[in-house]
């Protein structure tokens, strides 16, 4: 045919080919409700989202934005924190990590430094069971607080968004 009259109703049988994948099937998002202070050098959960993929071939796209304040004390050299996306909690499978670094600050005694950044991860969990996707923080040579910026509460700027993408 040379054209289709879109004002008509069409009934399809069989399967449609060539339509491609990559459609957003569901989206879940959460913001940090209160700032989180940690001195831990192991992964600390900040935000957790549960999502149930509709097919084993689905992909998960996780995107996080984070405000983080490092605190250097007792001559800490180059304080930093790692923002992570994990599946299955703070001790679950690491999907990606980004260092939020206070570069070249040797002897950082009693100093705060504000960082902000984003991190993304894309994977297939190969399940139709519920999974958790977690934004976590690991402190390096510092203590830190997520959701604080310039000693003001910026919890609403720390967010985790999780998409299920059709294969």
């Amino acid at each position: 045919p040379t054209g289709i009259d879109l004002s008509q109703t069409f009934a399809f049988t069989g399967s449609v080919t060539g339509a491609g994948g990559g459609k957003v099937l569901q989206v879940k998002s959460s913001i940090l409700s209160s700032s989180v202070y940690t001195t831990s050098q192991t992964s600390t959960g900040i935000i957790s989202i549960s999502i149930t993929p509709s097919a084993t071939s689905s992909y998960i796209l996780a995107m996080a934005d984070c405000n983080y304040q490092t605190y250097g004390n007792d001559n800490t050299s180059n304080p930093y924190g790692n923002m992570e996306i994990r599946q299955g909690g703070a001790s679950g499978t690491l999907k990606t990590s980004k260092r939020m670094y206070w570069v070249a600050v040797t002897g950082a005694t009693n100093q705060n430094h504000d960082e902000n950044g984003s991190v993304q991860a894309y994977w297939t969990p190969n399940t139709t069971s519920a999974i958790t996707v977690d934004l976590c923080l690991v402190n390096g040579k510092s203590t830190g607080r997520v959701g604080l910026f310039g000693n003001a509460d910026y919890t609403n700027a720390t967010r985790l968004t999780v998409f299920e993408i059709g294969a």
Side-chain angles (χ1 to χ4, degrees):
T2 59
I4 297 176
D5 182 356
L6 295 178
S7 66
Q8 295 178 346
T9 302
F10 297 92
F12 292 98
T13 59
S15 61
V16 176
T17 60
K23 293 171 183 54
V24 175
L25 303 178
Q26 60 178 314
V27 179
K28 294 191 172 190
S29 187
S30 182
I31 61 171
L32 186 65
S33 58
S34 62
S35 62
V36 177
Y37 175 80
T38 181
T39 60
S40 178
Q41 292 185 351
T42 60
S43 191
T44 300
I46 304 300
I47 300 174
S48 185
I49 292 178
S50 178
I51 190 166
T52 304
S54 58
T56 57
S57 59
S58 291
Y59 288 86
I60 297 297
L61 171 62
M63 300 175 12
D65 296 303
C66 186
N67 281 337
Y68 173 66
Q69 186 177 80
T70 59
Y71 176 72
N73 194 10
D74 299 328
N75 294 316
T76 304
S77 289
N78 300 324
Y80 66 90
N82 290 336
M83 187 171 50
E84 301 177 333
I85 293 178
R86 291 181 172 266
Q87 179 182 320
S91 60
T93 305
L94 178 66
K95 296 302 177 180
T96 192
S97 179
K98 178 180 181 181
R99 182 164 285 182
M100 303 212 313
Y101 211 102
W102 188 1
V103 179
V105 180
T106 303
T109 303
N110 298 319
Q111 295 182 29
N112 291 329
H113 187 72
D114 297 322
E115 300 285 345
N116 55 35
S118 63
V119 64
Q120 302 81 33
Y122 185 71
W123 73 97
T124 180
N126 196 28
T127 186
T128 55
S129 298
I131 63 167
T132 60
V133 178
D134 301 271
L135 173 61
C136 301
L137 175 72
V138 176
N139 278 308
K141 300 176 183 176
S142 69
T143 59
R145 184 179 299 267
V146 177
L148 199 66
F149 198 80
N151 292 324
D153 183 1
Y154 278 88
T155 53
N156 61 348
T158 299
R159 171 183 302 273
L160 174 63
T161 304
V162 179
F163 302 82
E164 179 191 2
I165 309 293

